[in-house]
Structures are given as C-alpha cells and as structure tokens.
Amino acid sequence: MSLPALESELARQLVLIGHGGTDWTRPRAHPDGHVHDVVIVGGGQSGLAAAFGLLRERVSNLLIIDENPAGLEGPWDTYARMITLRTPKDLNPIDFGIPALTYRSWWEAQHGAAGWEAVGKIARGDWMAYLRWYRRVLNLPVRNNTKLTLVEPLGDGLHCLHLDGQPPLLARKVVLATGIQGGGEWHTPAMIRDALPRNRYAHTSEPIDFAALMGKRIGILGGGASAFDNANAALSLGVAAAHVFIRRPVLPRINPIRFMEQVGFTGRYPALSDADKYAVMAGFLGHNQPPTNDTFDRAAAWPGFDLHLGAPWLSVELVDDQVRVTTPQGTHDFDFVILSTGLVSDPGLRGELGAVAQHIARWADRFTPPSGSANALIDAHPYLGDGFELLPRTDAGAAALHGLFAFNYSALISLGLSASALSGLQTALPRLLRGVTDQLFLDDRAALVADLLAYDEAEFVGQWPKQEEEAA
C-alpha cells in the first residue's frame, strides 16, 4: 500500500467510526473576541493527539498553539540527540486504535511490510516525520510561532491567553501540553551558573553548536541517557574528546519504565493511594534512566570518549580560558561543558502561570510522607485531579484554576507515566479527554438540562387507530 492509498484508507476508517459531526458544546460570546472551547498549548505529540481526541468527542472549537516554526514542535528535531526512540516500537500511543493511523501503517506504506520485523527501535527522525504526517492528514488546527506568556483568569469560566507579540486568545479550557519541561525548568546547578560565562556551558535541552566545538574537549555532567546521546552527537560532529562524569560508582542499569509497561502501571497507576504513589515515585526518581545498550556501545567505541565513575563535580572554575572541573579523582580541563542534570517540576517556575501559581496545590499541600522519607522533588509537583486538572490549595483559588489542565511531565507524581511519555499516552489521553469534556458539559449543565426538559421535537409520526382513507 502506498502512502496516498493509506491516506484514502484512513479517510474511510474515520467515516466508519463516525468521526466528525456537529459539536454539542454551547458557544460563548465575549466582547473581546471569539471564545475557544479549548486551546491546547503545545503542538508536539501530546498536543496533536489531544486535539484529535477532542475532535472525536465532537469538540471542534479548538486551537493548538506552538511557539516553534511548523515542523519543529517538540524535542525530536531540536534538542533530542538520540538516534532512535527508547520506547518499544510496538507501542501505539496516539492512534486511538485506528489501524490506518498507526506508526506501523505509515512506515509500511513507505518501506513495505517485510522490513518491519527488522526495525529494532523507531528512528527519531522517522517519528518526527510521522508526527508531521499525523498533523497534515488529520487537518489539525495548529498556529505556529505563537508563544504563550500568561494565562489570566477572567471569571465566569474564561481565560485570557496573552501571547508574545500577538493579540490574546480567549478559552474556556486550556490544556498545557508542554512536554517534559512544561511543568518547571531544566536544572542548572548554581556552582556552574555562578562560575562560568554563558557561552561556556549548555544544558542538553538547548541548541548546541557542535561545529564550533570541532577539535575541542568537552565535559558532560550526568549519567542519564541524554549524557551519552550528547557524547555521541559531539564526537560524530568532530569534537576531539567527550568525557562523561557520573556521581554514582557504577553505571545505572535498571530502567523501571520497562517494568511499568509490562504490568499495567502506565494505565492503572492513578488508582493507587497517595502513599503508594509517593513510594513508587521516590523509587522511580532514584533511578537515572540508563542509556540504551546500543547508545552506550556507540559512545564507548569513539577514541575520544571517556567515562568517569564516582566522580561528582566538586567545583567548576574558569582557569586560563579553560573550564576546570574538580572531582574526587582530580582536575580536568575542558573547552566547554554540557549539563545532563534533568529538570525540576514546580508550577511556580512557569512564567505563563504567574497569575495562578500561588493557588495551585502541590503534593506538599496534600500529602505528608512518613518521617524521614520526604522528597523535595516530589513535593513541588502539582497535585492533579483525575483528568489532569489543576486543583486549588484552598477554595479561594478554585475559580481561577477551573479549566486549566497540566498535560505535561509535571503530571508524573499524580498520574504516572502519562502526558509526555510515549509509554503512557495511550491510557492517559482518554483520561484527559474525559476530564476536559466532562467540565465543558457540567459547566453548561443547567442550560443543557433545561433544554432537554423543554425539548418537544416530534420524531414519531404514526397514528392509531388508522385513518379511514388509509384503511380503505
């Protein structure tokens, strides 16, 4: 089957499942302009899938906004530097069970069915190409180059979305599908931020001009998968040496995501008690995600690669135009350093939530762990409702937060691997869609119930007894 033939088959399958039709939501009027039922912030995999899911629920008065140019949404063609995805190829995270919309169908339409078994993991570039196709073939409404700067509650269930250099938008519901960093910020240790000029270091989440580092020596702090991804990328582009430094005395080997995928944790995690969630995530966060075996082997094969175990950075300074890193094992001089130091999730760190952050309940507000087991990283996460909705610390903040949904990595503690993890999207999306559409329905319940009770359109037109002329 060719790609055009697949697209024709997809159109047929959408008809078969009854996709499309008249919206059931109630239009809202406002003197400042059009009111969207839903605005989704983020046009990556989560935002696109959420939009399609809402269209399937017959909520079409929606818009996706993304700050990046078209085709560069999400990490895949920006800062992600792995060669393949780390998740199993057989996951079906965003196709909603529609065969012609699956990644496999898209891949086989271009490369043939026989080659699928030979695919080990999905190539990163292929996944991004699939997402571009997904957006195009479903005709999803995305506005690119549109950056959200502030969510302002207006009352009466409306939010004003202030944009950078553009007129604001009005929305009843706002879904923050803002990815792994969308619930906080990437972490830069103060010892590096305070010691080095900004042009001598970068986080793995940032653009890095590896061509300018050709022939140079770089140091990489952190033992997670992204550290090895960046070492490979740097060495493949001409960097002379890439040294990875890991605090632990041994490489991380356990990836708890694989266990979660096998035993239902991704879908059933929300049913756990808060105490169980806290314990599970304390253990989960205690594991650095290890590199895949092929990623590690590729890095280790480079002549310029080196790995330092049990080597936390004790200090960093600029000495004779070199970045000098001191570890328990001695000092090392580099031209540039890269930080694979993860992120911190806290809605108070997000500028666009500045008007409401003080109202958002965190885990520290709702759960007290057993003595000695408190985890500051967990405590700062938002405490979300079952449908990814932000919940208030007190009743005074309820109105301001009503209609705001955190469908990003900050949902990890409340709802598990879900919003920005391919492993969890398949079960997370129905939960989000139920949360958003239930709110839309309940917000208008009085009018909807009144209209139902007043509904008097006759459908049945038969009569008894039969009229005489019909009998004759």
Side-chain angles (χ1 to χ4, degrees):
M1 179 183 291
S2 66
L3 196 59
L6 177 66
E7 292 175 8
S8 295
E9 174 59 18
L10 173 60
R12 187 182 81 90
Q13 290 179 10
L14 291 176
V15 171
L16 290 175
I17 65 171
H19 180 64
T22 304
D23 279 13
W24 53 265
T25 55
R26 290 303 184 89
R28 291 286 184 93
H30 194 279
D32 291 340
H34 179 74
V35 178
H36 295 86
D37 284 330
V38 185
V39 170
I40 299 169
V41 183
Q45 59 200 22
S46 297
L48 295 177
F52 178 54
L54 286 168
L55 290 171
R56 293 181 73 231
E57 294 290 334
R58 299 192 176 180
V59 178
S60 66
N61 178 24
L62 60 84
L63 178 67
I64 306 168
I65 62 173
D66 194 282
E67 64 186 14
N68 298 298
L72 293 178
E73 305 85 1
W76 306 115
D77 266 358
T78 51
Y79 66 82
R81 299 183 178 101
M82 73 282 282
I83 293 176
T84 67
L85 305 189
R86 301 185 184 108
T87 46
K89 70 176 184 180
D90 296 322
L91 291 177
N92 290 327
I94 60 173
D95 53 68
F96 291 91
I98 302 169
L101 193 57
T102 62
Y103 175 86
R104 178 174 179 172
S105 290
W106 173 86
W107 192 92
E108 289 184 350
Q110 300 166 93
H111 306 288
W116 177 250
E117 294 303 320
V119 175
K121 292 187 176 71
I122 295 173
R124 172 172 56 87
D126 285 348
W127 180 252
M128 188 63 214
Y130 168 71
L131 292 177
R132 295 186 186 109
W133 175 80
Y134 184 101
R135 167 181 169 174
R136 176 182 64 80
V137 77
L138 295 174
N139 194 29
L140 299 176
V142 185
R143 183 192 295 181
N144 288 95
N145 302 304
T146 302
K147 180 178 176 60
L148 174 68
T149 58
L150 185 69
V151 177
E152 178 191 4
L154 298 180
D156 194 28
L158 296 182
H159 298 276
C160 179
L161 276 58
H162 296 268
L163 308 174
D164 185 9
Q166 299 181 38
L169 299 170
L170 298 174
R172 297 178 63 187
K173 309 299 169 190
V174 181
V175 176
L176 299 170
T178 42
I180 193 168
Q181 79 281 10
E185 66 182 14
W186 297 105
H187 176 55
T188 299
M191 61 178 275
I192 294 166
R193 183 179 61 245
D194 297 342
L196 299 180
R198 193 62 185 87
N199 63 349
R200 302 306 289 270
Y201 70 90
H203 197 280
T204 55
S205 64
E206 298 176 306
I208 301 175
D209 185 1
F210 286 114
L213 297 171
M214 186 176 295
K216 305 290 188 180
R217 291 170 49 83
I218 66 170
I220 302 175
L221 175 62
S226 66
F228 294 89
D229 292 336
N230 278 264
N232 273 317
L235 292 164
S236 69
L237 293 171
V239 168
H243 289 228
V244 173
F245 292 80
I246 299 179
R247 170 176 47 85
R248 303 166 189 250
V250 295
L251 281 167
R253 298 190 179 277
I254 308 301
N255 185 354
I257 295 176
R258 297 290 89 87
F259 179 80
M260 291 178 168
E261 290 167 347
Q262 296 167 11
V263 299
F265 257 88
T266 49
R268 309 281 79 80
Y269 172 92
L272 293 174
S273 68
D274 284 355
D276 283 339
K277 289 179 180 180
Y278 204 96
V280 165
M281 284 304 163
F284 178 83
L285 295 174
H287 290 282
N288 274 6
Q289 186 178 18
T292 59
N293 290 308
D294 57 324
T295 298
F296 176 77
D297 291 342
R298 194 178 302 115
W302 289 100
F305 177 81
D306 204 349
L307 177 62
H308 304 266
L309 298 172
W313 288 8
L314 304 177
S315 67
V316 178
E317 56 186 331
L318 201 59
V319 178
D320 296 330
D321 201 37
Q322 291 284 290
V323 178
R324 178 160 294 172
V325 172
T326 300
T327 77
Q329 302 166 3
T331 61
H332 305 265
D333 288 344
F334 299 106
D335 298 289
F336 192 81
V337 293
I338 297 175
L339 311 177
S340 178
T341 46
L343 74 157
V344 177
S345 290
D346 182 344
L349 299 173
R350 302 300 304 177
E352 66 270 21
L353 295 178
V356 298
Q358 72 274 21
H359 298 304
I360 298 173
R362 273 70 159 183
W363 266 77
D365 299 314
R366 298 295 184 91
F367 180 75
T368 301
S371 177
S373 62
N375 186 309
L377 291 176
I378 293 177
D379 291 342
H381 281 71
Y383 187 96
L384 302 179
D386 288 341
F388 293 90
E389 67 271 27
L390 292 170
L391 297 178
R393 278 178 161 148
T394 67
D395 291 345
L401 296 180
H402 185 73
L404 303 183
F405 297 80
F407 199 60
N408 54 41
Y409 198 66
S410 70
L412 177 68
I413 311 302
S414 295
L415 295 161
L417 288 172
S418 53
S420 61
L422 283 173
S423 299
L425 272 177
Q426 185 181 51
T427 52
L429 283 163
R431 183 176 293 274
L432 170 74
L433 300 174
R434 185 167 59 251
V436 173
T437 53
D438 279 359
Q439 269 200 19
L440 286 168
F441 180 83
L442 292 175
D443 287 351
D444 292 337
R445 62 189 179 278
L448 289 166
V449 169
D451 285 352
L452 172 63
L453 296 177
Y455 180 74
D456 62 356
E457 182 177 331
E459 179 178 345
F460 176 68
V461 296
Q463 295 182 6
W464 190 264
K466 292 283 190 179
Q467 295 183 2
E468 292 183 5
E469 59 269 21
E470 288 182 351

